[in-house]
């Protein structure tokens, strides 16, 4: 909302808010259709844990798509790295820390491999990552020998199955509220300092109260079951880290510049090859973290682990407002998209909806999200 000629006018961003309204509508529909089961604390805690892997993959995918590429291998990378961690621990008795470190190192090495082909050999990312999807799935099937690798140690399972105590949850809520209020008022003060237009102080207080209320509601809901799931905390840390990277660092600005106009970015002195290589390394690194969380959550590694997760990650980004043409998108949007995808899976599972209907509904949601993206861009021209 802006002040203009003594009057207030609303500046409504359809792209930013459409999916939030859609998410609210989805939650209302599933709540009614399941007689309130969808909104119970136990189900919401499971939903939050369920979306954690897709969220981690979507954060890496966001960078790739914003830069104008795509990574179709993240599901296979997650499955392979998770299996490597499980095999090292179950078959070779490695410690949890060593197993996870090896899995993450493998994820980085895969990122270097794919980034090299895309950056320096100019092979389209679609082909490189499509080939990678098959290569890494094949390696996974070979090393696991078709077996389910289990069980894992308690320390490994902690990453995917544990909950924080209610006391720790309340402490985190307090920290989150203080940080939220600080950054909202700091942002306002910064805009005033540099002469930008700002909303009135009443709206700023209302915004701070709204976000604080959301934090309290989230923590209270999680505590009503068994506490905040550990993988959700991991996702929140990654969200904060990559929101900072994409909005406050030179690297983040370069990624958006490359996706917006690669030739202009090259002429302005940006090292396109280096940035592209880093993007694919980060994507595979996050895929390996997602693979570890998935393996820990399931307490096992299977040859089907991570299957089709790449499409969920792409869908989460697009539904959350990331343009497939590159140059625009946000971490918060990708997380909202992941929540939409997880809510659809969760709600339809509660309703015992047959699998083919689930694919149809998710496909339609994806098409509508892309249509909204294209329609709003055309409207802006």
């Amino acid at each position: 909302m802006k002040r203009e000629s003594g009057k207030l006018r609303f500046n409504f961003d359809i792209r930013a808010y459409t999916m939030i309204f859609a998410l609210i509508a989805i939650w209302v529909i599933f709540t009614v259709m399941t007689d309130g089961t969808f909104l119970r604390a136990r189900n919401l805690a499971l939903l939050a844990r369920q979306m954690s892997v897709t969220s981690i993959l979507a954060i890496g995918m966001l960078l790739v798509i914003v830069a104008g590429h795509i990574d179709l291998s993240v599901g296979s990378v997650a499955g392979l790295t998770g299996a490597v961690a499980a095999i090292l621990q179950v078959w070779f008795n490695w410690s949890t820390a060593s197993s996870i470190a090896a899995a993450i190192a493998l994820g980085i090495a895969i990122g270097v491999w794919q980034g090299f082909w895309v950056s320096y050999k100019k092979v389209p990312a679609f082909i490189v990552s499509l080939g990678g999807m098959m290569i890494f799935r094949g390696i996974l099937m070979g090393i696991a020998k078709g077996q389910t690798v289990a069980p894992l140690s308690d320390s490994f399972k902690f990453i995917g199955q544990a909950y924080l105590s209610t006391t720790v949850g309340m402490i985190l809520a307090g920290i989150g509220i203080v940080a939220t209020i600080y950054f909202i008022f700091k942002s306002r003060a910064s805009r005033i300092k540099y002469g930008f237009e700002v909303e009135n102080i009443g709206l700023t207080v209302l915004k701070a109260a709204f976000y604080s209320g959301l934090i309290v509601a989230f923590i209270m809901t999680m505590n009503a079951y068994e506490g905040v799931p550990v993988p959700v905390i991991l996702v929140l840390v990654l969200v904060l880290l990559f929101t900072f990277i994409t909005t406050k660092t030179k690297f983040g600005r370069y990624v958006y510049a490359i996706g917006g106009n690669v030739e202009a970015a090259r002429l302005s002195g940006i090292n396109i090859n280096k940035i592209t290589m880093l993007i694919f390394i980060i994507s595979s690194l996050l895929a390996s973290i997602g693979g570890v969380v998935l393996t820990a959550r399931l307490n096992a590694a299977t040859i089907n682990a991570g299957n089709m997760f790449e499409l969920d990650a792409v869908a989460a980004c697009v539904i959350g407002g990331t343009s497939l043409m590159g140059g625009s998108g946000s971490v918060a949007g990708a997380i909202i998209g992941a929540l939409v995808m997880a809510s659809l899976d969760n709600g339809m599972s509660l309703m015992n909806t047959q699998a083919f209907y689930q694919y149809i509904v998710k496909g339609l949601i994806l098409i509508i999200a892309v249509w909204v993206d294209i329609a709003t861009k055309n409207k802006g021209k």
Side-chain angles (χ1 to χ4, degrees):
M1 189 168 68
K2 294 181 178 180
R3 187 177 293 279
E4 190 176 75
S5 302
K7 296 180 179 180
L8 291 176
R9 66 180 178 85
F10 286 94
N11 184 18
F12 191 77
D13 186 346
I14 294 176
R15 292 184 63 202
Y17 294 105
T18 296
M19 281 306 132
I20 293 178
F21 293 140
L23 178 63
I24 294 171
I26 289 169
W27 281 34
V28 170
I29 291 171
F30 283 136
T31 301
V32 173
M33 299 294 288
T34 60
D35 295 326
T37 302
F38 183 83
L39 275 188
R40 286 178 185 162
R42 178 180 180 278
N43 188 59
L44 291 179
L46 294 176
L47 172 62
R49 206 172 67 170
Q50 183 181 344
M51 67 172 284
S52 59
V53 176
T54 302
S55 300
I56 294 170
L57 299 183
I59 292 171
M61 187 68 75
L62 168 79
L63 293 175
V64 175
I65 294 178
V66 166
H69 299 289
I70 197 162
D71 188 350
L72 297 176
S73 68
V74 293
S76 295
V77 174
L80 174 60
T81 52
V84 166
I87 288 171
L88 290 175
Q89 178 160 105
V90 177
W91 292 357
F92 298 96
N93 296 317
W94 282 34
S95 68
T96 297
S98 301
S99 303
I100 293 173
I104 290 175
L106 177 59
I108 293 172
I110 290 172
V112 171
W113 163 263
Q114 300 206 115
F116 168 77
W117 286 105
V118 176
S119 303
Y120 295 99
K121 296 301 178 183
K122 307 305 178 189
V123 180
F126 178 85
I127 299 300
V128 172
S129 59
L130 182 63
M133 179 176 70
M134 292 185 277
I135 292 169
F136 306 132
R137 182 64 59 185
I139 295 174
L140 167 60
M141 295 169 71
I143 63 172
K145 301 173 184 175
Q147 302 177 33
T148 296
V149 185
L152 301 166
S153 67
D154 290 341
S155 58
F156 201 124
K157 288 187 290 184
F158 179 88
I159 300 168
Q161 298 184 4
Y163 295 86
L164 300 180
S165 68
T166 56
T167 304
V168 174
M170 294 307 294
I171 292 172
L172 289 177
I175 294 172
I177 290 171
V178 171
T180 299
I181 293 172
Y182 171 76
F183 284 113
I184 286 176
F185 280 92
K186 183 186 177 187
S187 173
R188 187 176 192 279
S190 178
R191 290 181 66 85
I192 292 173
K193 179 180 177 182
Y194 291 104
F196 290 106
E197 192 176 32
V198 296
E199 60 207 7
N200 64 51
I201 188 66
L203 279 175
T204 304
V205 171
L206 193 62
K207 184 192 293 183
F210 174 73
Y211 286 119
S212 299
L214 283 182
I215 293 172
V216 171
F218 172 74
I219 296 295
M220 295 295 287
T221 302
M222 295 297 106
N223 282 351
Y225 183 51
E226 292 187 18
V228 183
V230 168
V232 173
I233 296 298
L234 177 60
V235 171
L236 291 176
V237 170
L238 290 173
V239 167
L240 293 174
L241 175 63
F242 279 92
T243 298
F244 175 79
I245 289 174
T246 53
T247 60
K248 303 294 183 184
T249 67
K250 190 185 294 183
F251 170 77
R253 290 192 292 274
Y254 286 174
V255 173
Y256 283 91
I258 292 171
N261 189 323
V262 66
E263 283 307 315
R266 192 189 312 279
L267 292 172
S268 66
I270 296 174
N271 188 332
I272 307 293
N273 293 343
K274 178 182 173 183
I275 299 298
T276 304
M277 171 72 88
L278 286 173
I279 288 168
F280 277 91
I281 291 174
I282 292 172
S283 178
S284 291
L285 168 64
L286 289 174
S288 67
I289 294 173
V292 169
V293 172
L294 176 65
T295 304
R297 182 162 67 87
L298 300 176
N299 187 25
T302 68
I303 59 173
N304 291 321
N307 196 25
M308 302 290 284
F309 277 25
E310 55 278 338
L311 298 185
D312 280 347
V314 171
C317 291
V318 174
I319 288 172
T322 304
S323 173
L324 284 173
M325 290 173 274
S328 67
S330 67
V331 174
I335 299 302
I336 292 173
L339 184 55
V340 169
M341 296 294 290
S343 298
L344 289 171
D345 279 334
N346 181 281
M348 288 190 284
S349 296
L350 286 176
M351 293 169 59
N352 292 321
T353 306
Q354 295 184 56
F356 71 90
Y357 278 125
Q358 297 190 26
Y359 281 112
I360 291 171
V361 170
K362 289 165 68 176
L364 287 173
I365 294 289
L366 181 59
I367 291 173
I368 292 170
V370 174
W371 171 74
V372 169
D373 173 43
I374 294 172
T376 51
K377 277 199 168 182
N378 290 337
K379 188 178 179 182
K381 290 181 179 178

